[in-house]
């Protein structure tokens, strides 16, 4: 097998098995995240009626909270892929990684957007090549520039396979949404864990493990 290939079926099985085996934790986590987002949205709507300045302040707080939660979600998924368990506390305690993560994801989004505007295909290619930049920052603590180099190396030789994988994950979540939305409580963590597992597979084969 090519050093940079990974098993889509194995990743999907891992995601589903881990989610169903820890259904209470992931359901609770999903409800907590939804509650946080709803509260922030309600507060933002409320304060905007009184002051634009307060509205901007709440928007900034929402952005910061969102970044911290994204980092925490990646940490939790990596823990499960490494054979341990994530905790609710992991959502919040890894905030020092937030600034680097935010910068890398902002640059990534900008590059992909520009590529899509230019001719669509360049945007797709950039998305595939650099999709793991945030993961490398959270997992390895590398800098922004290094995170892009590491992602390009990790995805090398597996980019179109990753594209097919991503489309499958998207379809799974669409199916979850169609199941009265409640299905997303299972499909979102299952696909996230599958995606993270694929990252771990590619990392291992990249290093020759």
């Amino acid at each position: 097998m090519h050093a940079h290939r990974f098993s889509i079926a194995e990743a999907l099985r891992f995601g589903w098995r881990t989610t169903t085996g820890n259904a209470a934790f992931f359901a609770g986590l999903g409800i907590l995240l939804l509650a946080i987002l709803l509260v922030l949205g309600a507060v933002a709507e409320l304060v905007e009626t009184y002051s634009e300045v307060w509205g901007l302040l709440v928007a900034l707080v929402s952005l910061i909270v969102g970044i911290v939660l994204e980092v925490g979600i990646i940490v939790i998924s990596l823990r499960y892929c490494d054979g341990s368990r994530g905790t609710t506390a992991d959502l919040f305690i890894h905030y020092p990684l937030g600034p680097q993560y935010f910068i890398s994801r902002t640059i990534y989004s900008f590059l992909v957007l520009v590529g899509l505007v230019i001719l669509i295909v360049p945007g797709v290619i950039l998305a595939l090549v650099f999709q793991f930049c945030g993961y490398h920052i959270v997992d390895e603590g590398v800098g922004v520039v290094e995170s892009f180099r590491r992602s390009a190396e990790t995805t090398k030789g597996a980019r179109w396979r990753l594209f097919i994988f991503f489309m499958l994950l998207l379809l799974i979540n669409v199916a979850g949404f169609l199941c009265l939305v409640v299905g997303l409580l299972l499909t979102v963590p299952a696909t996230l864990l599958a995606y993270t597992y694929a990252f771990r597979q590619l990392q291992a084969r990249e290093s020759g493990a």
Side-chain angles (χ1 to χ4, degrees):
M1 180 178 287
H2 193 286
H4 294 279
R5 288 174 68 86
F6 68 98
S7 169
I8 291 177
E10 188 178 334
L12 291 174
R13 280 196 299 270
F14 173 82
W16 183 253
R17 184 175 65 248
T18 304
T19 300
T20 54
N22 301 273
F25 172 76
F26 286 111
L29 197 65
I31 292 171
L32 174 62
L33 290 171
L34 181 60
I36 292 173
L37 295 177
L38 288 175
V39 168
L40 288 173
V43 171
E45 187 174 342
L46 179 64
V47 299
E48 280 179 359
T49 61
Y50 294 98
S51 168
E52 291 186 2
V53 174
W54 278 103
L56 290 173
L57 180 60
V58 173
L60 178 60
V61 171
S62 298
L63 175 63
I64 294 172
V65 171
I67 294 166
V68 172
L69 292 178
E70 279 189 45
V71 170
I73 289 168
I74 292 175
V75 169
I76 289 172
S77 61
L78 286 169
R79 289 198 191 285
Y80 276 97
C81 286
D82 293 340
S84 59
R85 290 175 176 268
T87 66
T88 304
D90 283 321
L91 280 177
F92 311 103
I93 62 177
H94 302 281
Y95 62 87
L97 295 169
Q100 292 283 80
Y101 179 83
F102 172 70
I103 294 171
S104 72
R105 295 301 294 178
T106 300
I107 294 173
Y108 171 78
S109 299
F110 176 76
L111 290 175
V112 172
L113 178 61
V114 170
L116 291 173
V117 169
I118 292 174
L119 201 59
I120 298 181
V121 173
V124 173
I125 293 173
L126 288 170
L128 291 169
V129 172
F130 299 124
Q131 62 185 290
F132 289 128
C133 58
Y135 270 73
H136 280 293
I137 284 178
V138 174
D139 186 44
E140 301 168 0
V142 299
V144 173
V145 175
E146 179 65 10
S147 73
F148 281 87
R149 190 196 69 79
R150 293 285 294 115
S151 181
E153 185 63 28
T154 300
T155 59
K156 186 178 180 181
R159 289 160 191 167
W160 290 114
R161 192 174 184 82
L162 282 165
F163 175 76
I164 295 171
F165 183 49
F166 177 80
M167 296 307 295
L168 283 173
L169 298 183
L170 180 62
L171 289 173
I172 290 170
N173 282 310
V174 169
F177 177 79
L178 294 176
C179 293
L180 301 177
V181 184
V182 178
L184 291 173
L185 289 175
L186 283 177
T187 62
V188 169
T191 52
L192 175 63
L193 287 164
Y195 183 74
T196 306
Y197 187 82
F199 169 70
R200 275 289 190 245
Q201 282 186 311
L202 291 169
Q203 265 190 322
R205 289 166 188 176
E206 177 188 358
S207 63

